[in-house]
Amino acid sequence: MSFHCPFRLSIWLTVSAAGLALLTPASVLPLHAQTAPQQTGQRAALSDSAKTENTAENKPSAESVPPQAAPMAATNPAAQKGITGKAIDKVKEVAKSAGDIFSRVPCLPPKGASKSMGSLPRVANKLVAGQPVVIVAFGSSSTAGFGATSPEFNYPNRLAAQLRRQYPTADISVVNAGKGGEDAPEMMKRLQTSVIDMRPDLVIWQVGTNAVLRNLDPGETAKLVEEGITRIQAVGADIVLIDPQYSPRVNEHAESAGKMMKLLNKTAELRKVGIFPRFAVMKDWHEKQAIPIENFVIADGLHMSDWGYACFAQLLGDDIIKSVGQIKLGVSVPSDVRAYRPM
């Protein structure tokens, strides 16, 4: 089963009605995680195709406040105090779960995998110089965080928190530019506004899943990704590609998924950019670490759970930190091994 955060929408609605000004999950994290305009209404902007990455049910809107909550709180101070206390306890419980999510199922790196993501010189040089670092997480619904029980559990926020812990004096911003249902054709249309205009130092581009689900030509996707890499490199940003996830829905298209991953790796090697093999990492969780799929994929058979996002972000962050450390120590990474090799 998936390990979901005990956080529930109802407690926030009740607290709001009670007049308690609680912080949002993003604001309590020690980071500068931002959300791109495209993320607004991410769960409403679903793909028309029944086979796209964003076909799971929409969750209830946070705007729907129980009408009886406000009068009750206003006329009963004792009830208000009790509700407030329970809400604070719930916030503490959520914060604790964010910190100990791996205590139940450890997040371990794949065995025998190469750990060289490659060179991230722009990020490293900015950290050394004490300059602000801007990271753009570009992708579809698994970047936006569909399936997570709270924004704090999506991978860009988890990654931002990890990098802030590693570099406590650095000004690190992570912009979530994920938009559900998209793949390379749609992403290229907003590459300028969602990515390049952010003046990124690092772009983490998650791509290919919806192309697999739609049976799009992997070769055409690879051409668009190469074009996008060229445009991003023109502004001097480092790049890391993220391939599709290992999940039942993707595995139904095994041949297409295999071609997609092969072409993305070839593109990364050709353009000398990093690639994190998400599919292979998640497959290792299941086949070598004996973690049930339902522990890291939600019931729709496609999107990742809180634990899945958290472990993915942890391993990605570890590789970013290692790559930055190599540059800071003056270690030269040969161009022919800069692409993170899949297992």
Side-chain angles (χ1 to χ4, degrees):
M1 61 177 287
S2 300
F3 292 97
H4 292 293
C5 170
F7 178 86
R8 292 291 184 270
L9 178 62
S10 59
I11 196 68
W12 289 102
L13 304 181
T14 307
V15 172
S16 176
L20 178 64
L22 291 175
L23 296 175
T24 62
S27 63
V28 298
L29 287 174
L31 50 91
H32 299 289
Q34 302 174 15
T35 302
Q38 289 80 6
Q39 189 181 3
T40 303
Q42 60 182 293
R43 292 188 174 88
L46 306 182
S47 169
D48 292 334
S49 169
K51 289 279 187 175
T52 60
E53 193 179 350
N54 220 18
T55 55
E57 292 185 29
N58 288 330
K59 295 185 178 181
S61 168
E63 299 297 326
S64 54
V65 179
Q68 73 276 13
M72 177 186 70
T75 58
N76 192 337
Q80 179 178 354
K81 182 177 179 180
I83 292 171
T84 300
K86 290 179 180 179
I88 292 174
D89 290 342
K90 181 63 66 175
V91 171
K92 291 179 180 179
E93 188 177 342
V94 170
K96 180 181 179 181
S97 70
D100 70 359
I101 194 168
F102 297 139
S103 66
R104 292 159 286 181
V105 180
C107 177
L108 304 175
K111 296 179 180 179
S114 168
K115 296 304 293 179
S116 177
M117 177 181 288
S119 175
L120 300 176
R122 173 114 172 188
V123 174
N125 290 333
K126 282 218 161 184
L127 288 172
V128 170
Q131 298 175 348
V133 172
V134 176
I135 299 172
V136 174
F138 190 40
S140 56
S141 59
S142 61
T143 294
F146 194 91
T149 60
S150 169
E152 71 179 312
F153 289 108
N154 67 39
Y155 105 74
N157 275 345
R158 295 287 302 199
L159 176 64
Q162 179 184 0
L163 295 178
R164 289 288 297 171
R165 289 193 298 270
Q166 178 68 25
Y167 309 107
T169 62
D171 181 7
I172 299 175
S173 300
V174 177
V175 179
N176 190 331
K179 190 171 183 180
E182 290 193 346
D183 213 277
E186 297 84 6
M187 293 177 195
M188 288 298 291
K189 294 178 181 178
R190 62 185 182 94
L191 180 66
Q192 183 68 41
T193 56
S194 296
V195 179
I196 295 175
D197 287 351
M198 298 294 106
R199 298 181 180 179
D201 301 299
L202 170 62
V203 177
I204 304 172
W205 191 354
Q206 168 258 313
V207 65
T209 298
N210 285 315
V212 169
L213 298 180
R214 297 173 188 163
N215 292 315
L216 300 182
D217 182 1
E220 291 300 315
T221 297
K223 288 179 182 178
L224 289 173
V225 171
E226 186 173 356
E227 179 186 339
I229 289 173
T230 300
R231 291 176 58 185
I232 294 169
Q233 287 180 326
V235 299
D238 298 328
I239 304 173
V240 173
L241 299 179
I242 306 293
D243 67 12
Q245 65 265 45
Y246 175 86
S247 66
R249 286 278 303 281
V250 173
N251 295 345
E252 291 172 0
H253 306 263
E255 183 177 356
S256 178
K259 290 179 179 178
M260 181 66 70
M261 289 179 284
K262 184 176 180 179
L263 285 170
L264 288 176
N265 274 277
K266 184 177 179 180
T267 300
E269 184 175 2
L270 177 67
R271 301 300 305 183
K272 303 297 186 291
V273 301
I275 182 165
F276 183 91
R278 179 170 57 154
F279 185 94
V281 167
M282 294 176 69
K283 185 177 181 180
D284 184 273
W285 294 345
H286 182 57
E287 295 189 357
K288 296 184 179 180
Q289 299 184 38
I291 300 175
I293 289 180
E294 57 267 27
N295 279 19
F296 55 84
V297 175
I298 64 172
D300 69 356
L302 179 62
H303 296 93
M304 301 171 76
S305 66
D306 287 345
W307 186 93
Y309 283 124
C311 192
F312 162 48
Q314 179 70 42
L315 298 178
L316 174 62
D318 288 345
D319 288 341
I320 290 174
I321 291 166
K322 180 176 180 179
S323 298
V324 167
Q326 290 177 325
I327 299 296
K328 291 175 70 174
L329 292 173
V331 177
S332 177
V333 181
S335 61
D336 61 344
V337 297
R338 287 184 181 177
Y340 187 129
R341 296 290 191 268
M343 292 176 288

